[in-house]
Every structure is written in structure tokens, then in C-alpha cells.
Amino acid sequence: MSEEKKYAINPNEVEIEYQKLALHMNYGGSKYLPRLMKRAFTLSQARLALALDMKTEEMAELLELSEEEVKRNIEKLQILALSKKLGTREEEVHQDIKYMFELGFAFPTRRGWRWARTADQAKDSQSNPKYDEKLGHEYFDLWEAFLKIEAYPTSYYQRQVSLLNSGEPPSFRIIPARKSLQKIENRIPEDNLEEVLKLYSVIAVEHCPCKRLVRDRSCKSPTEVCLIMDRVAEHNLRRGAARVISIEEALEIHDKAGENGLVCMPQSNEARPTRLTMICHCHWCCCDPTASTIMMGFPLERMIAPSCYQAVVDSEKCRGCQICVSRCQFGAIEMKPDTGSDNNVQFKASVNADKCFGCGLCVITCPADARTMKMVRSSETIPKELPPANFYTGTEDHKSGKHVDTGSVMTRPRF
């Protein structure tokens, strides 16, 4: 069955407003994104979304105020200006924007509310289950179709090629499953999750948008596994898309994710690379960076940096059960013939050092306790710099400056 036929898509054409929203997110001509917009928003909400980028001078003219007056009270006056422009009650505008914000398409900035700059930004905000019943299965089918059929071969592909040719360090890296390091006394702090979490004032957990948008994923793992910190946590808490947790709760979530075969894969903050924005727990079947990289045949090491550790096998203890083979997402485990002390030949696990990313998943579930981790790199190998282009502005359309003036810095909304 082709990818096109796999998804239940309504073939009817959609109104121009939804097509314009897709164009705004750099996917003009998309087959799936406009239909996705129509599933989520009424026509009046779509018109409101298109009006969010109203310039300060237009607001000032509508409200008969100076631009400076508008800028001083942008949050309140933008709502009033939108109400006047669209002929809609202020309370209705307010509630519609709140819905867009909670759903992950509208963002508060220093220049007022703005629609998502790209489809990537909206996709990464699909972590709020509040409206799942209202949106229905078709909404998620459309997201999955859009990602796999349209986004991966275009913007994701461009980003991968750019990263591959740039020589820049990966945006993601591996932190080993913490239980895999229990036998190591002097652990590298950056790879010690408990020590990493102590750096942050606010820790929250949200549902993984990647997993939510791939309903037929093979991992079948829980979705509430993304740890988010400080500013990112506060933003998603305001959206109702996350809940505050303690370090102990975070570690429990991490341990459970590892048992379910998910790799701990944090992403750094571009402005402060030593700080993390989130700690994802990923599987190749549904994680965007991993799935798209594999689908397009790019080397994973250009997207993901390994941890400072590597798995090793004690062949005397190994029973050859192959559980580690099924759990390794990097193809680093091989079964090789081994002649034991009794001269009988058995197939036992062996680690390919060139492919091992040091996630520790094979260690924590080995029934024979035949696997351990060893340190093979120092903290100096952990990427300290990130690519200069923002994750959401990596394609050529974005680099041309299309969204440079939209006020991308998030602010606190007052709901």
C-alpha cells in the first residue's frame, strides 16, 4: 500500500484561508496542511490567524492611536484592533487566540500574538491532549501524512543536507540510561541525568508531540516522556500542555522510558549550548530527527552525538538471548560465534564500537547481567556549540528573512 493511500484524507478542496495559513508556514501547495488547518479551526478562526501579523502602524490607524501607544500596551490593544478589523467581539477574539495558543499554533511575542513561523514549530507544540476528542482521528492522520509525505522529503531533507555539508555539531546528543551507569563511580556530569536535572529551577513533563502524531508507531510506548525545563517548561505550563514534577519523578519517567526501549536524547539551547531545553525519550519509529534521518539515508551521527560511554559484553555471562539486538536502535549489536570452555560453539552478542552511541538500553535489560558501560570519551567531546541557524529557520525560505520581523521571542500571555 502506498503512503498516499494509507491515510484517510477528505479529498474535498479547502477554502483559500487555510491554504494561506499553510503558505505562511512555508508549505504553499501542501495537500495535507490546509486540510489539517480546516480540521482544527473554523473559517473565522482561520481569518483571525491570518490577521495576527498585523503591523503596528495598522493597529495604530484602526485605534486612532500613535504607534508608541500601541507598542506600550500591545497585548491588550492587539486584541482590540483585531476585533475592529474582523468585526468580532473582543471576548471572542481573546478565546480564539487562547485556543490557538493551547493547541500550539499561536505564540505570544514582544510584538503581540503571532501565528507559527513554520509547520515545524507548530508540530513541536502538539503536546496538549486537551482537544484530542474534539479534533478526532483525522487530525492526527493528516499530521502523520503531512510529515511523512511532504515534510520529510522537503524541509527536513534540506535541513539534513545543510547539516551534513556544514561540518557543524549535531543538535541532539545521547545521555545514557542512568541505571546503566550504576557500576561506574566517577560519572561524567553531563551524562549523569540526576546531576543534569539539578541545574534547573523548573522541571515539567509533557506528552511527546512526535509520538502523538504517529499513531501506528511500532514502539507502543507511553507518550508522557518529554522532560522540559525552565523557560520552555513555563511556556508549556501556561498552555496547559505540561505538569510540574520533581527530580525524583523525572528520574522515574526516565527509568520507565528506558525499560520501554526509548533512548534519552536531550536538545541544547542554541543561545546557551550548555543548557538543555528539553530531554526527549525517543524511538526510531516516531522521533522526527531519527525517523527522518533514517528514512532519507543520512548518517545518524550528523544529527545525534554519542554519549561518553559505550556498552561492553562479558562473553562468559552472555546467554545469546538477543534481547539486546532487538533493543538497539543503532544496529550496534552483532551475534558472533563463540567457543566456550567446553568447546561448544554458541552465538553471543558483540558490540560494534563504531555504531554504539552509548545509550545503555542493552545494559539495563540484560537478563544475564552480561553488559556494562565503559567510558570511552571525555566531556570535552560533548558539543559546546550549535548550528547558527535556528531549528525553525533552517530552510532557504526561512534564511531569506521571511519571518525575521515577526517577533519570535516568546513572552508571558495573560489568560
Side-chain angles (χ1 to χ4, degrees):
M1 181 184 294
S2 71
E3 288 290 337
E4 294 267 355
K5 292 180 180 179
K6 177 180 176 182
Y7 304 95
I9 304 301
N10 186 339
N12 296 330
E13 289 299 319
V14 298
E15 289 81 356
I16 190 66
E17 286 84 354
Y18 301 109
Q19 297 175 41
K20 286 181 178 179
L21 285 177
L23 177 62
H24 180 92
M25 293 188 284
N26 291 318
Y27 272 95
S30 166
K31 177 180 177 181
Y32 300 100
L33 201 53
R35 291 178 172 85
L36 190 159
M37 296 292 105
K38 184 171 182 177
R39 183 69 188 172
F41 304 106
T42 65
L43 198 55
S44 63
Q45 287 172 333
R47 289 168 181 153
L48 170 62
L50 290 170
L52 288 182
D53 283 346
M54 187 191 311
K55 295 186 181 299
T56 307
E57 50 265 38
E58 184 180 354
M59 292 187 217
E61 185 176 344
L62 274 170
L63 302 175
E64 298 181 351
L65 298 170
S66 69
E67 289 185 37
E68 287 303 315
E69 288 176 302
V70 171
K71 288 177 182 177
R72 282 198 297 268
N73 196 9
I74 188 68
E75 189 173 287
K76 178 180 178 180
L77 295 179
Q78 183 190 26
I79 300 290
L80 179 58
L82 288 166
S83 173
K84 286 198 169 187
K85 179 175 182 176
L86 300 172
T88 309
R89 293 185 300 108
E90 284 184 61
E91 181 57 28
E92 187 175 337
V93 172
H94 178 87
Q95 289 302 319
D96 284 346
I97 290 178
K98 181 181 179 182
Y99 167 65
M100 295 175 191
F101 172 62
E102 291 178 348
L103 190 56
F105 286 90
F107 297 83
T109 78
R110 291 181 296 199
R111 298 188 182 186
W113 289 99
R114 291 292 183 265
W115 188 251
R117 290 169 288 166
T118 69
D120 288 349
Q121 188 183 29
K123 175 261 160 190
D124 282 348
S125 298
Q126 299 304 300
S127 55
N128 193 346
K130 179 178 179 178
Y131 299 103
D132 285 4
E133 186 175 348
K134 171 181 183 253
L135 295 166
H137 291 295
E138 186 184 9
Y139 177 78
F140 296 96
D141 287 342
L142 288 164
W143 261 117
E144 186 173 2
F146 166 71
L147 290 169
K148 291 184 176 179
I149 298 171
E150 295 181 337
Y152 285 2
T154 54
S155 65
Y156 280 73
Y157 178 83
Q158 292 173 17
R159 190 160 59 237
Q160 299 277 16
V161 170
S162 175
L163 185 60
L164 187 67
N165 295 332
S166 68
E168 295 162 348
S171 298
F172 295 86
R173 67 178 179 89
I174 301 295
I175 286 183
R178 71 177 185 121
K179 288 187 177 180
S180 71
L181 301 180
Q182 285 180 336
K183 296 180 181 180
I184 297 177
E185 292 185 2
N186 298 316
R187 304 175 194 175
I188 292 174
E190 293 90 340
D191 277 353
N192 186 337
L193 184 60
E194 188 168 359
E195 292 302 314
V196 169
L197 292 173
K198 290 177 181 177
L199 298 173
Y200 304 96
S201 301
V202 180
I203 303 171
V205 62
E206 67 175 357
H207 291 270
C208 172
C210 297
K211 293 176 178 58
R212 280 170 47 74
L213 300 184
V214 181
R215 292 301 178 93
D216 63 348
R217 53 197 170 83
S218 63
C219 68
K220 308 298 181 185
S221 58
T223 61
E224 197 181 30
V225 292
C226 285
L227 306 180
I228 48 180
M229 287 76 70
D230 288 356
R231 189 162 165 264
V232 174
E234 290 167 358
H235 172 72
N236 284 286
L237 287 167
R238 292 193 291 269
R239 290 178 54 227
R243 61 186 178 89
V244 174
I245 57 174
S246 65
I247 290 180
E248 290 71 27
E249 288 174 296
L251 294 175
E252 288 178 10
I253 290 168
H254 166 79
D255 291 343
K256 189 67 175 178
E259 292 170 8
N260 279 283
L262 304 183
V263 174
C264 185
M265 202 166 79
Q267 184 177 16
S268 297
N269 182 328
E270 187 177 344
R272 293 190 294 166
T274 57
R275 303 282 280 180
L276 303 176
T277 55
M278 64 179 64
I279 299 175
C280 306
H281 290 91
C282 306
H283 193 270
W284 64 265
C285 71
C286 48
C287 167
D288 270 357
T290 307
S292 60
T293 301
I294 292 173
M295 181 181 290
M296 294 180 289
F298 288 99
L300 276 174
E301 60 267 21
R302 293 302 298 120
M303 177 62 70
I304 307 166
S307 76
C308 296
Y309 298 86
Q310 194 174 93
V312 292
V313 183
D314 182 338
S315 61
E316 291 294 320
K317 292 183 178 180
C318 179
R319 301 173 186 169
C321 66
Q322 301 188 42
I323 291 176
C324 55
V325 176
S326 63
R327 286 175 62 81
C328 182
Q329 296 189 37
F330 306 102
I333 311 295
E334 303 171 2
M335 299 303 293
K336 293 184 176 181
D338 180 88
T339 303
S341 56
D342 56 1
N343 290 324
N344 289 327
V345 177
Q346 291 181 295
F347 279 85
K348 297 192 175 185
S350 175
V351 177
N352 184 329
D354 293 333
K355 293 183 178 181
C356 181
F357 277 68
C359 68
L361 291 192
C362 62
V363 175
I364 62 175
T365 53
C366 179
D369 196 25
R371 313 180 75 86
T372 54
M373 298 285 271
K374 71 173 181 178
M375 191 184 304
V376 293
R377 286 172 284 269
S378 71
S379 60
E380 296 302 314
T381 63
I382 296 173
K384 299 298 190 296
E385 297 178 1
L386 290 178
N390 185 280
F391 185 75
Y392 297 120
T393 56
T395 66
E396 290 305 315
D397 282 345
H398 305 156
K399 289 179 180 178
S400 67
K402 179 172 180 180
H403 294 290
V404 168
D405 62 348
T406 58
S408 62
V409 178
M410 292 186 298
T411 60
R412 182 186 297 271
R414 295 178 184 174
F415 289 133

PDB file of all heavy atoms in Angstrom, residues 313-340:
ATOM      1  N   VAL A 313      30.440  -6.291  26.444  1.00  0.00           N
ATOM      2  CA  VAL A 313      29.805  -7.568  26.759  1.00  0.00           C
ATOM      3  C   VAL A 313      30.803  -8.515  27.414  1.00  0.00           C
ATOM      4  O   VAL A 313      31.941  -8.654  26.945  1.00  0.00           O
ATOM      5  CB  VAL A 313      29.242  -8.224  25.484  1.00  0.00           C
ATOM      6  CG1 VAL A 313      28.509  -9.522  25.834  1.00  0.00           C
ATOM      7  CG2 VAL A 313      28.303  -7.275  24.758  1.00  0.00           C
ATOM      8  N   ASP A 314      30.365  -9.155  28.462  1.00  0.00           N
ATOM      9  CA  ASP A 314      31.133 -10.235  29.081  1.00  0.00           C
ATOM     10  C   ASP A 314      30.653 -11.526  28.409  1.00  0.00           C
ATOM     11  O   ASP A 314      29.562 -12.028  28.705  1.00  0.00           O
ATOM     12  CB  ASP A 314      30.870 -10.270  30.580  1.00  0.00           C
ATOM     13  CG  ASP A 314      31.685 -11.339  31.298  1.00  0.00           C
ATOM     14  OD1 ASP A 314      32.110 -12.300  30.635  1.00  0.00           O
ATOM     15  OD2 ASP A 314      31.868 -11.219  32.525  1.00  0.00           O
ATOM     16  N   SER A 315      31.442 -12.058  27.496  1.00  0.00           N
ATOM     17  CA  SER A 315      31.014 -13.215  26.707  1.00  0.00           C
ATOM     18  C   SER A 315      30.772 -14.445  27.575  1.00  0.00           C
ATOM     19  O   SER A 315      29.990 -15.330  27.216  1.00  0.00           O
ATOM     20  CB  SER A 315      32.036 -13.526  25.622  1.00  0.00           C
ATOM     21  OG  SER A 315      33.296 -13.844  26.201  1.00  0.00           O
ATOM     22  N   GLU A 316      31.447 -14.506  28.731  1.00  0.00           N
ATOM     23  CA  GLU A 316      31.246 -15.653  29.619  1.00  0.00           C
ATOM     24  C   GLU A 316      29.828 -15.668  30.189  1.00  0.00           C
ATOM     25  O   GLU A 316      29.236 -16.729  30.410  1.00  0.00           O
ATOM     26  CB  GLU A 316      32.272 -15.622  30.769  1.00  0.00           C
ATOM     27  CG  GLU A 316      33.703 -15.895  30.340  1.00  0.00           C
ATOM     28  CD  GLU A 316      33.873 -17.318  29.825  1.00  0.00           C
ATOM     29  OE1 GLU A 316      33.269 -18.235  30.433  1.00  0.00           O
ATOM     30  OE2 GLU A 316      34.576 -17.509  28.832  1.00  0.00           O
ATOM     31  N   LYS A 317      29.292 -14.483  30.434  1.00  0.00           N
ATOM     32  CA  LYS A 317      27.947 -14.391  31.004  1.00  0.00           C
ATOM     33  C   LYS A 317      26.850 -14.390  29.948  1.00  0.00           C
ATOM     34  O   LYS A 317      25.703 -14.764  30.237  1.00  0.00           O
ATOM     35  CB  LYS A 317      27.816 -13.115  31.850  1.00  0.00           C
ATOM     36  CG  LYS A 317      28.648 -13.109  33.130  1.00  0.00           C
ATOM     37  CD  LYS A 317      28.364 -11.818  33.900  1.00  0.00           C
ATOM     38  CE  LYS A 317      29.127 -11.775  35.220  1.00  0.00           C
ATOM     39  NZ  LYS A 317      28.842 -10.526  35.969  1.00  0.00           N
ATOM     40  N   CYS A 318      27.168 -13.952  28.736  1.00  0.00           N
ATOM     41  CA  CYS A 318      26.152 -13.801  27.691  1.00  0.00           C
ATOM     42  C   CYS A 318      25.506 -15.140  27.358  1.00  0.00           C
ATOM     43  O   CYS A 318      26.182 -16.134  27.102  1.00  0.00           O
ATOM     44  CB  CYS A 318      26.781 -13.192  26.437  1.00  0.00           C
ATOM     45  SG  CYS A 318      25.615 -12.989  25.068  1.00  0.00           S
ATOM     46  N   ARG A 319      24.162 -15.153  27.322  1.00  0.00           N
ATOM     47  CA  ARG A 319      23.415 -16.377  27.016  1.00  0.00           C
ATOM     48  C   ARG A 319      22.984 -16.447  25.548  1.00  0.00           C
ATOM     49  O   ARG A 319      22.346 -17.417  25.131  1.00  0.00           O
ATOM     50  CB  ARG A 319      22.162 -16.453  27.890  1.00  0.00           C
ATOM     51  CG  ARG A 319      22.424 -16.441  29.388  1.00  0.00           C
ATOM     52  CD  ARG A 319      21.103 -16.342  30.127  1.00  0.00           C
ATOM     53  NE  ARG A 319      21.289 -16.175  31.571  1.00  0.00           N
ATOM     54  CZ  ARG A 319      20.300 -15.852  32.403  1.00  0.00           C
ATOM     55  NH1 ARG A 319      19.073 -15.676  31.924  1.00  0.00           N
ATOM     56  NH2 ARG A 319      20.533 -15.714  33.693  1.00  0.00           N
ATOM     57  N   GLY A 320      23.252 -15.366  24.812  1.00  0.00           N
ATOM     58  CA  GLY A 320      22.844 -15.348  23.411  1.00  0.00           C
ATOM     59  C   GLY A 320      21.354 -15.181  23.204  1.00  0.00           C
ATOM     60  O   GLY A 320      20.793 -15.621  22.197  1.00  0.00           O
ATOM     61  N   CYS A 321      20.660 -14.526  24.146  1.00  0.00           N
ATOM     62  CA  CYS A 321      19.199 -14.396  24.068  1.00  0.00           C
ATOM     63  C   CYS A 321      18.746 -13.392  23.008  1.00  0.00           C
ATOM     64  O   CYS A 321      17.581 -13.394  22.599  1.00  0.00           O
ATOM     65  CB  CYS A 321      18.637 -13.995  25.426  1.00  0.00           C
ATOM     66  SG  CYS A 321      19.126 -12.342  25.982  1.00  0.00           S
ATOM     67  N   GLN A 322      19.610 -12.477  22.611  1.00  0.00           N
ATOM     68  CA  GLN A 322      19.367 -11.487  21.552  1.00  0.00           C
ATOM     69  C   GLN A 322      18.371 -10.395  21.941  1.00  0.00           C
ATOM     70  O   GLN A 322      17.899  -9.649  21.091  1.00  0.00           O
ATOM     71  CB  GLN A 322      18.922 -12.158  20.251  1.00  0.00           C
ATOM     72  CG  GLN A 322      19.932 -13.157  19.711  1.00  0.00           C
ATOM     73  CD  GLN A 322      19.584 -13.659  18.336  1.00  0.00           C
ATOM     74  OE1 GLN A 322      19.169 -12.882  17.473  1.00  0.00           O
ATOM     75  NE2 GLN A 322      19.748 -14.960  18.111  1.00  0.00           N
ATOM     76  N   ILE A 323      18.062 -10.279  23.231  1.00  0.00           N
ATOM     77  CA  ILE A 323      17.211  -9.164  23.666  1.00  0.00           C
ATOM     78  C   ILE A 323      17.884  -7.836  23.332  1.00  0.00           C
ATOM     79  O   ILE A 323      17.243  -6.877  22.892  1.00  0.00           O
ATOM     80  CB  ILE A 323      16.930  -9.257  25.180  1.00  0.00           C
ATOM     81  CG1 ILE A 323      16.031 -10.449  25.469  1.00  0.00           C
ATOM     82  CG2 ILE A 323      16.291  -7.970  25.696  1.00  0.00           C
ATOM     83  CD1 ILE A 323      15.776 -10.699  26.944  1.00  0.00           C
ATOM     84  N   CYS A 324      19.190  -7.773  23.501  1.00  0.00           N
ATOM     85  CA  CYS A 324      19.935  -6.546  23.215  1.00  0.00           C
ATOM     86  C   CYS A 324      19.863  -6.178  21.741  1.00  0.00           C
ATOM     87  O   CYS A 324      19.836  -4.987  21.385  1.00  0.00           O
ATOM     88  CB  CYS A 324      21.393  -6.694  23.650  1.00  0.00           C
ATOM     89  SG  CYS A 324      22.233  -8.117  22.937  1.00  0.00           S
ATOM     90  N   VAL A 325      19.809  -7.167  20.860  1.00  0.00           N
ATOM     91  CA  VAL A 325      19.726  -6.906  19.416  1.00  0.00           C
ATOM     92  C   VAL A 325      18.437  -6.182  19.084  1.00  0.00           C
ATOM     93  O   VAL A 325      18.419  -5.202  18.329  1.00  0.00           O
ATOM     94  CB  VAL A 325      19.818  -8.224  18.621  1.00  0.00           C
ATOM     95  CG1 VAL A 325      19.635  -7.955  17.129  1.00  0.00           C
ATOM     96  CG2 VAL A 325      21.147  -8.913  18.872  1.00  0.00           C
ATOM     97  N   SER A 326      17.336  -6.651  19.678  1.00  0.00           N
ATOM     98  CA  SER A 326      16.032  -6.041  19.388  1.00  0.00           C
ATOM     99  C   SER A 326      15.896  -4.655  20.008  1.00  0.00           C
ATOM    100  O   SER A 326      15.122  -3.824  19.514  1.00  0.00           O
ATOM    101  CB  SER A 326      14.910  -6.947  19.904  1.00  0.00           C
ATOM    102  OG  SER A 326      14.981  -7.083  21.316  1.00  0.00           O
ATOM    103  N   ARG A 327      16.660  -4.367  21.061  1.00  0.00           N
ATOM    104  CA  ARG A 327      16.544  -3.071  21.739  1.00  0.00           C
ATOM    105  C   ARG A 327      17.463  -2.004  21.170  1.00  0.00           C
ATOM    106  O   ARG A 327      17.238  -0.809  21.387  1.00  0.00           O
ATOM    107  CB  ARG A 327      16.827  -3.239  23.237  1.00  0.00           C
ATOM    108  CG  ARG A 327      15.684  -3.905  23.979  1.00  0.00           C
ATOM    109  CD  ARG A 327      16.041  -4.162  25.425  1.00  0.00           C
ATOM    110  NE  ARG A 327      16.322  -2.931  26.164  1.00  0.00           N
ATOM    111  CZ  ARG A 327      15.408  -2.118  26.677  1.00  0.00           C
ATOM    112  NH1 ARG A 327      14.124  -2.378  26.500  1.00  0.00           N
ATOM    113  NH2 ARG A 327      15.749  -1.046  27.362  1.00  0.00           N
ATOM    114  N   CYS A 328      18.496  -2.399  20.457  1.00  0.00           N
ATOM    115  CA  CYS A 328      19.458  -1.417  19.948  1.00  0.00           C
ATOM    116  C   CYS A 328      18.901  -0.690  18.723  1.00  0.00           C
ATOM    117  O   CYS A 328      18.588  -1.304  17.705  1.00  0.00           O
ATOM    118  CB  CYS A 328      20.777  -2.098  19.588  1.00  0.00           C
ATOM    119  SG  CYS A 328      22.035  -0.916  19.014  1.00  0.00           S
ATOM    120  N   GLN A 329      18.774   0.631  18.830  1.00  0.00           N
ATOM    121  CA  GLN A 329      18.238   1.432  17.728  1.00  0.00           C
ATOM    122  C   GLN A 329      19.314   1.835  16.716  1.00  0.00           C
ATOM    123  O   GLN A 329      19.009   2.439  15.688  1.00  0.00           O
ATOM    124  CB  GLN A 329      17.573   2.692  18.284  1.00  0.00           C
ATOM    125  CG  GLN A 329      16.369   2.406  19.161  1.00  0.00           C
ATOM    126  CD  GLN A 329      15.605   3.658  19.507  1.00  0.00           C
ATOM    127  OE1 GLN A 329      15.465   4.575  18.693  1.00  0.00           O
ATOM    128  NE2 GLN A 329      15.083   3.713  20.732  1.00  0.00           N
ATOM    129  N   PHE A 330      20.559   1.497  17.007  1.00  0.00           N
ATOM    130  CA  PHE A 330      21.660   1.954  16.156  1.00  0.00           C
ATOM    131  C   PHE A 330      22.348   0.812  15.401  1.00  0.00           C
ATOM    132  O   PHE A 330      23.352   1.023  14.748  1.00  0.00           O
ATOM    133  CB  PHE A 330      22.686   2.707  17.013  1.00  0.00           C
ATOM    134  CG  PHE A 330      22.068   3.833  17.802  1.00  0.00           C
ATOM    135  CD1 PHE A 330      21.787   3.693  19.153  1.00  0.00           C
ATOM    136  CD2 PHE A 330      21.725   5.021  17.175  1.00  0.00           C
ATOM    137  CE1 PHE A 330      21.207   4.715  19.876  1.00  0.00           C
ATOM    138  CE2 PHE A 330      21.142   6.064  17.883  1.00  0.00           C
ATOM    139  CZ  PHE A 330      20.874   5.916  19.239  1.00  0.00           C
ATOM    140  N   GLY A 331      21.803  -0.378  15.515  1.00  0.00           N
ATOM    141  CA  GLY A 331      22.370  -1.520  14.806  1.00  0.00           C
ATOM    142  C   GLY A 331      23.775  -1.858  15.252  1.00  0.00           C
ATOM    143  O   GLY A 331      24.600  -2.319  14.461  1.00  0.00           O
ATOM    144  N   ALA A 332      24.060  -1.653  16.545  1.00  0.00           N
ATOM    145  CA  ALA A 332      25.428  -1.821  17.038  1.00  0.00           C
ATOM    146  C   ALA A 332      25.681  -3.200  17.637  1.00  0.00           C
ATOM    147  O   ALA A 332      26.811  -3.497  18.030  1.00  0.00           O
ATOM    148  CB  ALA A 332      25.735  -0.747  18.087  1.00  0.00           C
ATOM    149  N   ILE A 333      24.655  -4.046  17.736  1.00  0.00           N
ATOM    150  CA  ILE A 333      24.824  -5.360  18.346  1.00  0.00           C
ATOM    151  C   ILE A 333      24.870  -6.436  17.260  1.00  0.00           C
ATOM    152  O   ILE A 333      23.978  -6.502  16.402  1.00  0.00           O
ATOM    153  CB  ILE A 333      23.683  -5.687  19.328  1.00  0.00           C
ATOM    154  CG1 ILE A 333      23.457  -4.519  20.300  1.00  0.00           C
ATOM    155  CG2 ILE A 333      23.985  -6.984  20.078  1.00  0.00           C
ATOM    156  CD1 ILE A 333      24.615  -4.248  21.225  1.00  0.00           C
ATOM    157  N   GLU A 334      25.882  -7.262  17.300  1.00  0.00           N
ATOM    158  CA  GLU A 334      26.022  -8.375  16.366  1.00  0.00           C
ATOM    159  C   GLU A 334      26.130  -9.683  17.153  1.00  0.00           C
ATOM    160  O   GLU A 334      26.693  -9.708  18.248  1.00  0.00           O
ATOM    161  CB  GLU A 334      27.275  -8.201  15.502  1.00  0.00           C
ATOM    162  CG  GLU A 334      27.303  -6.889  14.725  1.00  0.00           C
ATOM    163  CD  GLU A 334      28.640  -6.645  14.039  1.00  0.00           C
ATOM    164  OE1 GLU A 334      29.517  -7.529  14.153  1.00  0.00           O
ATOM    165  OE2 GLU A 334      28.792  -5.592  13.414  1.00  0.00           O
ATOM    166  N   MET A 335      25.596 -10.748  16.594  1.00  0.00           N
ATOM    167  CA  MET A 335      25.727 -12.078  17.204  1.00  0.00           C
ATOM    168  C   MET A 335      26.861 -12.806  16.486  1.00  0.00           C
ATOM    169  O   MET A 335      26.830 -12.993  15.264  1.00  0.00           O
ATOM    170  CB  MET A 335      24.419 -12.858  17.081  1.00  0.00           C
ATOM    171  CG  MET A 335      23.237 -12.200  17.777  1.00  0.00           C
ATOM    172  SD  MET A 335      23.499 -11.886  19.552  1.00  0.00           S
ATOM    173  CE  MET A 335      23.580 -13.569  20.177  1.00  0.00           C
ATOM    174  N   LYS A 336      27.864 -13.191  17.260  1.00  0.00           N
ATOM    175  CA  LYS A 336      29.037 -13.846  16.676  1.00  0.00           C
ATOM    176  C   LYS A 336      29.279 -15.198  17.356  1.00  0.00           C
ATOM    177  O   LYS A 336      28.992 -15.362  18.551  1.00  0.00           O
ATOM    178  CB  LYS A 336      30.265 -12.959  16.841  1.00  0.00           C
ATOM    179  CG  LYS A 336      30.200 -11.668  16.019  1.00  0.00           C
ATOM    180  CD  LYS A 336      31.498 -10.883  16.148  1.00  0.00           C
ATOM    181  CE  LYS A 336      31.482  -9.643  15.257  1.00  0.00           C
ATOM    182  NZ  LYS A 336      32.756  -8.878  15.350  1.00  0.00           N
ATOM    183  N   PRO A 337      29.831 -16.156  16.591  1.00  0.00           N
ATOM    184  CA  PRO A 337      30.118 -17.463  17.198  1.00  0.00           C
ATOM    185  C   PRO A 337      31.213 -17.361  18.253  1.00  0.00           C
ATOM    186  O   PRO A 337      32.193 -16.639  18.077  1.00  0.00           O
ATOM    187  CB  PRO A 337      30.564 -18.309  16.000  1.00  0.00           C
ATOM    188  CG  PRO A 337      31.020 -17.326  14.977  1.00  0.00           C
ATOM    189  CD  PRO A 337      30.181 -16.098  15.171  1.00  0.00           C
ATOM    190  N   ASP A 338      31.010 -18.049  19.365  1.00  0.00           N
ATOM    191  CA  ASP A 338      31.972 -18.020  20.459  1.00  0.00           C
ATOM    192  C   ASP A 338      32.181 -19.452  20.957  1.00  0.00           C
ATOM    193  O   ASP A 338      31.222 -20.166  21.254  1.00  0.00           O
ATOM    194  CB  ASP A 338      31.444 -17.135  21.594  1.00  0.00           C
ATOM    195  CG  ASP A 338      32.389 -17.063  22.775  1.00  0.00           C
ATOM    196  OD1 ASP A 338      33.273 -16.195  22.762  1.00  0.00           O
ATOM    197  OD2 ASP A 338      32.231 -17.881  23.695  1.00  0.00           O
ATOM    198  N   THR A 339      33.442 -19.858  21.043  1.00  0.00           N
ATOM    199  CA  THR A 339      33.760 -21.194  21.537  1.00  0.00           C
ATOM    200  C   THR A 339      34.038 -21.130  23.028  1.00  0.00           C
ATOM    201  O   THR A 339      34.987 -20.484  23.475  1.00  0.00           O
ATOM    202  CB  THR A 339      34.989 -21.769  20.817  1.00  0.00           C
ATOM    203  OG1 THR A 339      34.745 -21.781  19.419  1.00  0.00           O
ATOM    204  CG2 THR A 339      35.260 -23.192  21.290  1.00  0.00           C
ATOM    205  N   GLY A 340      33.188 -21.757  23.812  1.00  0.00           N
ATOM    206  CA  GLY A 340      33.322 -21.719  25.259  1.00  0.00           C
ATOM    207  C   GLY A 340      34.365 -22.681  25.771  1.00  0.00           C
ATOM    208  O   GLY A 340      35.032 -23.395  25.015  1.00  0.00           O
TER     209      GLY A 340
END
